[in-house]
Amino acid sequence: MSEPGIKVNPDECIGCGNCTSACPFGLIEIVRGKAVIKEGCTFCGACKEACGYYAITIETPEKAAAPEKASGVWVFAEQRGGAIKGVSFELLCRGRELADNLKTELVAICFGNNVQGADRLIAHGANKVYLVDSPDLADNPEDHLTYKLVEMVREYRPEIVLAGATALGRAFIPRVAAILNTGLTADCTGLDIDAEKRLLLQTRPTFGGNIMATIICPNKRPQMATVRPRVFKKGNPDNNRKGQILKIDFKKDGFTARTKLLNFIEDVTERVKLEDAEIIVSGGRGMGKPENFKLIAELAEALGAAVGASRAAVDEGWIPYSHQVGQTGKTVCPRLYIACGISGAIQHLAGMQTSDVIVAINDDPNAPIFQVATYGIVGDLFQVIPMLIKKLKQE
Amino acid sequence: MNIVACLKQVPGTTEVKIDPKTNTLIRQGIENIINPFDTYALEEAVRLKDKHGGKVTVVTMGPPQADAALREAISLGADEALLLSDRAFAGADTWATAFTLSRAIVKLEKIDLVICGRQTIDGDTGQVGPEMAEMLTMPFVAYVSRIEEIKEAYLRVSRMTEEGHETIEATLPAVITVAKEINVPRVPSLRGIMRSKSAKILTWGIQELGVDKDSVGLAGSSTQVIKIFFPQRIHKAEIFSGDLEKQADALIDRLKSARIC
């Protein structure tokens, strides 16, 4: 077998350029009549498919097959202060479907101190809960979590391990994957199963959300992924569902901890950080005066959202600069962006147009904001916003 | 202190555009830059050196052109630069990237601290820092927003989580990733620019690293990209009609079915 990688056979390539326009990353150039593949290739195979002359070959290195023993889908059920986080239930809901597809069990792994409601993990789909409850695990010590999870994976051999792409999950799950020498896909927004090959199809945004990539881990187990919170639905609990809660011992003597939490200060000033917010309600020049931003704050409150603003509103001094969204402010990518009284200057659009769903509320039907919006309400925002608040409160 | 700042050369994706006809990235006119998050890592490394003495080594893995990113880093205060470049490194996933970087770092003169940006703006994974920490058997702290104290054997940092700020102490040597709140990177000095032009950039391939080619690049990667596609962007807004109450109901209904509220 030749060297792994992608090659253009110069004898077959006619320089037609089909591959150039097929490469999603724009990495192929025709140089002196032959295709040249530049650095940065992900070996996705789009060019190979587009080439009518079989001039492009991709050699993947031969690797040992995945161990057959591995079975079961694991969900790391994150908790904080004993309370299980919402993302854990979202992962269980999707995890249940994946496990059913693979005809295997779904297991929730929960580390903490005095964890409340472990039975809810069963109601949300787990067949089994491995509960590691110890005072030494109270503050989610990442060193302990890392080495204990590694130990458990080695003992029980799951085929899939999922965790929330939270600050905690994104910090310690890669360490687990590094030690286990297996693949890990970050920040997935889609998970599916190839049942025949028992593969987890992991889809994630890349290049700032401009491109989606589906990734597999064919030869190593477990297949690991972190998943963005609020991508999957939570599902309704079924309190009649039966399952086992198995308590697992934790003795910290066996583990080295080289980091120590000394102090924690809860953020109260900025309840929801703009850049990390799942939902943002923004106000622009159409708000008219600073007092009217209260309406924006009320709508944000009703949705559990952060408050943003256009440059115009900031320049007017209606709201501090830290709330500004746009080219000279913050770039945001929430699941929902509600633009109120914002016309949609290109500089503002640059900071928010990759949001999943954009709602525009404006009295001018020709405002450019409607060109990037998913949904629009044309009308007086001083009537529309109070109506939305009223309706949301009724929910 | 001997500090390593890891960086990656990336396309300046804030300007990334998609060709609507071919559905591919338009690379023309897009310059390669140092991953913005890594500029905070470099700046913090240089500040620590200025305060405590020692030296800053910047390390990158990439094609020969990544030399430009390292020279820029030197103009911003790095003392030495190491380029990990080999055809065998191409196609590396985060595990193989972390492995390659970690093998290089262990070969450097005793390192006290490794600083990385929290993530890159092209891959966006944030996995290389923590994976590397395990491969170096060093403690790890993510999302550091302030270095409060640094002593011979430990450092104390403040880091950001969803809920607030934690103060964490870690033994040295350690690996940290930094958030952009940590500092405001400087602009290159004239002297720095002059120095960067003549600076020697050390280049290592698999020979120099002494690693097996099956553990790096595509061969060393457990993950594999099988499909690339483009997210659907709706360009035509659904504008609701009817009286105000009906419009509000319609909107909330759409948001609920998209599981947003």
Side-chain angles (χ1 to χ4, degrees), chain A residues 95-114:
Chain A
R96 182 71 263 163
E97 292 163 356
L98 302 178
D100 288 344
N101 225 317
L102 288 166
K103 299 186 173 56
T104 187
E105 62 173 7
L106 178 67
V107 180
I109 313 296
C110 192
F111 297 83
N113 183 35
N114 291 325

Side-chain angles (χ1 to χ4, degrees), chain A residues 23-25 63 142 167 170 175 204 206-207 212 214 216 258 260 262-263 265 374 376 391 395, chain B residues 24-25 27 122-123 125 134 137 159 162-163 165 167 169 221 224 226-227 229 238 245 256 259:
Chain A
C23 175
F25 298 99
K63 287 178 184 169
E142 288 172 21
R170 292 190 71 172
R175 298 170 58 188
R204 70 182 301 268
T206 179
F207 274 89
M212 304 297 290
T214 301
I216 56 169
R258 293 167 301 179
K260 193 162 69 180
L262 301 179
N263 187 24
I265 302 162
T374 323
K391 289 280 173 186
E395 290 288 320
Chain B
T24 59
L25 281 189
R27 291 228 176 207
D122 56 350
T125 72
E134 281 312 320
T137 63
R159 66 108 167 254
E162 288 98 346
E163 289 86 8
H165 284 77
T167 308
E169 198 175 276
S221 299
Q224 192 183 319
I226 53 163
K227 196 172 113 193
F229 59 100
E238 180 182 357
E245 187 162 3
K256 274 168 80 180
R259 299 191 207 114

Side-chain angles (χ1 to χ4, degrees), chain B residues 15-31:
Chain B
E15 299 137 52
V16 155
K17 290 205 175 63
I18 303 290
D19 184 331
K21 281 197 209 102
T22 57
N23 243 356
T24 59
L25 281 189
I26 301 172
R27 291 228 176 207
Q28 261 164 4
I30 295 180
E31 276 185 53

Side-chain angles (χ1 to χ4, degrees), chain A residues 101-134:
Chain A
N101 225 317
L102 288 166
K103 299 186 173 56
T104 187
E105 62 173 7
L106 178 67
V107 180
I109 313 296
C110 192
F111 297 83
N113 183 35
N114 291 325
V115 175
Q116 304 301 306
D119 48 342
R120 286 169 67 212
L121 297 169
I122 291 168
H124 278 269
N127 299 96
K128 211 191 265 175
V129 177
Y130 287 137
L131 179 62
V132 194
D133 202 299
S134 155

Side-chain angles (χ1 to χ4, degrees), chain B residues 178-192:
Chain B
V178 298
K180 64 176 191 289
E181 284 74 8
I182 196 165
N183 57 42
V184 179
R186 68 195 66 191
V187 290
S189 66
L190 193 60
R191 223 184 67 196

Side-chain angles (χ1 to χ4, degrees), chain A residues 84-167:
Chain A
I84 296 163
K85 284 195 170 183
V87 66
S88 311
F89 300 114
E90 297 159 17
L91 288 178
L92 284 173
C93 184
R94 186 67 184 147
R96 182 71 263 163
E97 292 163 356
L98 302 178
D100 288 344
N101 225 317
L102 288 166
K103 299 186 173 56
T104 187
E105 62 173 7
L106 178 67
V107 180
I109 313 296
C110 192
F111 297 83
N113 183 35
N114 291 325
V115 175
Q116 304 301 306
D119 48 342
R120 286 169 67 212
L121 297 169
I122 291 168
H124 278 269
N127 299 96
K128 211 191 265 175
V129 177
Y130 287 137
L131 179 62
V132 194
D133 202 299
S134 155
D136 294 322
L137 299 174
D139 299 312
N140 282 327
E142 288 172 21
D143 289 332
H144 289 342
L145 264 50
T146 301
Y147 302 121
K148 186 65 186 177
L149 185 55
V150 166
E151 189 186 275
M152 290 170 67
V153 166
R154 284 186 171 149
E155 187 173 345
Y156 299 105
R157 294 168 176 261
E159 55 192 309
I160 291 172
V161 176
L162 307 175
T166 58

